[in-house]
Amino acid sequence: FEGPFRVELAQGEDGGGGLLVEGEDPRPVNEGMRLNSPWITAPATPPSRGFIAHGTGAWIPLRGGGITLDTSRPWKIEDMVLTLDSLEGGAGIRISSSEAWLDTRTGDSFCPGPFQVDGSGLHVQGEGLELDADSDIVRLGATSTRTTWEFPGTDGESWKGTANGPGTLAPREDGGRILSFPEGTECQVFLPPESGWAGEWTTQGIEFQLREGEAGLRPLQLKGLGATRWHGEGRSLEGVGGLIRWTEDGSPGNLILDGPVHAVAQEEEVSLRAEERAEALPNRGALSLHGGVAGTIPGGAVQAKSASWIPGEKIQFLDASIFPESADISKVSARQISFDSAR
């Protein structure tokens, strides 16, 4: 029949029910019911969480070919927007997709096509999504598909990233979210100036911990998996793993890379490798290289036990030997050698 439709389902033995189903122009289709402009409301019934789902159309299965709405099977929602209550009682997440299959007993959802996830300022887009509503875990993307994410910074520029493969958006124990893509997934993170590491972070997987701040999600820790490269402001660092931390007030911390590490400053014509690790301070701060350092500097080559480098100012080598390019100058060795890298 044509016109408004409204059914309230009581809690059922199968765990379903407690639903308010509203829409327009219901009609039988393929052992189910077609409903225009569906609006489905489920109150929180622990352990299940409350949710609201709406769309432009829905196919709802019916029990045994009768007229009772079947909550034991998933409902197909077109142009679905699903708003899920937060586990902490605050603002939850919202999932949008052109097609979704919804478990009305739990809020679990499967979106085979394009999707968007929004929550606390974080915006994620991709293709292929699964939501485990009770655990608040969103499985993002399918193999070989591109997932993008973004959240606003405090300086007017956004934190952004891409990943070519599946990932996970999960809750942090202390509040906030963990955005992760497993090792073997090509990832790029574009860091704004407020990060202290303005530039591009490229790695083979990430784990990005985001705390809940007053204005939305804020960075807490970015961990690279596998081969990792940071490039910005004419400098680059390449190594294995990689870790950047931020304090609770948003101040950037050190960047740490495991070796072998390759550090390059193009303008200063410096290229150094270290076997063990590198640690750098934010905002073009000092860089420390450890565990056997070798490379090129203006006018020659160098080997050292370790190095400390303040970009644009000076480089200091410990237990070092300098090999000048000029054949007229012999090798120079000393416990400590320093020179002006700004030239």
Side-chain angles (χ1 to χ4, degrees):
F1 63 88
E2 296 183 357
F5 174 88
R6 188 178 190 277
V7 171
E8 189 169 354
L9 302 180
Q11 184 73 29
E13 294 181 358
D14 60 1
L19 293 176
L20 176 60
V21 182
E22 300 172 284
E24 299 285 339
D25 307 328
R27 65 179 186 274
V29 174
N30 297 330
E31 299 181 355
M33 181 182 71
R34 167 74 185 185
L35 186 66
N36 293 334
S37 304
W39 193 284
I40 303 161
T41 305
T45 53
S48 297
R49 300 161 63 187
F51 66 84
I52 296 175
H54 61 91
T56 58
W59 176 82
I60 300 173
L62 301 176
R63 288 185 180 275
I67 60 173
T68 303
L69 308 187
D70 188 353
T71 59
S72 67
R73 291 187 286 165
W75 298 11
K76 181 180 179 181
I77 313 295
E78 300 164 4
D79 299 319
M80 183 190 77
V81 177
L82 172 67
T83 303
L84 192 68
D85 291 347
S86 169
L87 287 173
E88 296 80 21
I93 62 172
R94 186 181 68 184
I95 296 173
S96 306
S97 180
S98 58
E99 177 184 320
W101 292 87
L102 173 68
D103 186 336
T104 57
R105 298 170 300 178
T106 61
D108 291 356
S109 302
F110 169 65
C111 306
F115 70 81
Q116 296 181 15
V117 179
D118 294 278
S120 298
L122 177 65
H123 177 75
V124 185
Q125 286 186 286
E127 186 170 339
L129 172 149
E130 293 184 23
L131 167 68
D132 185 328
D134 288 346
S135 63
D136 203 19
I137 293 176
V138 185
R139 295 176 179 85
L140 306 164
T143 303
S144 301
T145 61
R146 187 169 183 261
T147 300
T148 64
W149 56 266
E150 179 179 356
F151 64 90
T154 58
D155 61 356
E157 296 192 38
S158 293
W159 301 63
K160 302 178 182 180
T162 66
N164 292 328
T168 303
L169 183 63
R172 282 185 69 245
E173 184 175 343
D174 296 328
R177 298 279 173 179
I178 300 176
L179 178 65
S180 60
F181 295 89
E183 187 169 354
T185 306
E186 183 180 341
C187 299
Q188 291 178 297
V189 181
F190 303 96
L191 299 169
E194 72 166 325
S195 70
W197 297 99
E200 182 179 330
W201 172 278
T202 304
T203 184
Q204 296 299 308
I206 65 169
E207 180 186 281
F208 201 178
Q209 296 196 28
L210 305 166
R211 64 179 177 84
E212 192 74 55
E214 294 182 359
L217 293 173
R218 304 299 304 142
L220 194 61
Q221 177 176 289
L222 174 60
K223 181 179 181 181
L225 305 176
T228 299
R229 181 177 189 267
W230 172 81
H231 175 76
E233 300 178 326
R235 292 194 298 160
S236 66
L237 291 170
E238 296 183 47
V240 179
L243 182 69
I244 305 175
R245 289 191 175 99
W246 291 267
T247 64
E248 290 288 339
D249 66 4
S251 300
N254 294 1
L255 182 155
I256 300 172
L257 276 175
D258 292 329
V261 176
H262 186 199
V264 176
Q266 296 173 347
E267 293 182 0
E268 299 170 47
E269 300 178 10
V270 175
S271 176
L272 300 173
R273 292 184 180 273
E275 292 300 317
E276 289 186 5
R277 74 180 192 280
E279 184 169 352
L281 297 174
N283 300 313
R284 294 183 61 84
L287 168 65
S288 299
L289 300 170
H290 303 274
V293 177
T296 59
I297 57 177
V302 64
Q303 292 181 353
K305 180 179 180 180
S306 62
S308 178
W309 177 8
I310 301 177
E313 296 185 21
K314 70 175 183 177
I315 302 179
Q316 177 176 285
F317 298 99
L318 296 181
D319 295 333
S321 295
I322 303 294
F323 304 87
E325 291 178 347
S326 174
D328 298 330
I329 305 176
S330 62
K331 165 186 165 183
V332 177
S333 299
R335 176 72 180 87
Q336 178 176 306
I337 299 177
S338 301
F339 73 92
D340 184 0
S341 65
R343 300 181 61 191

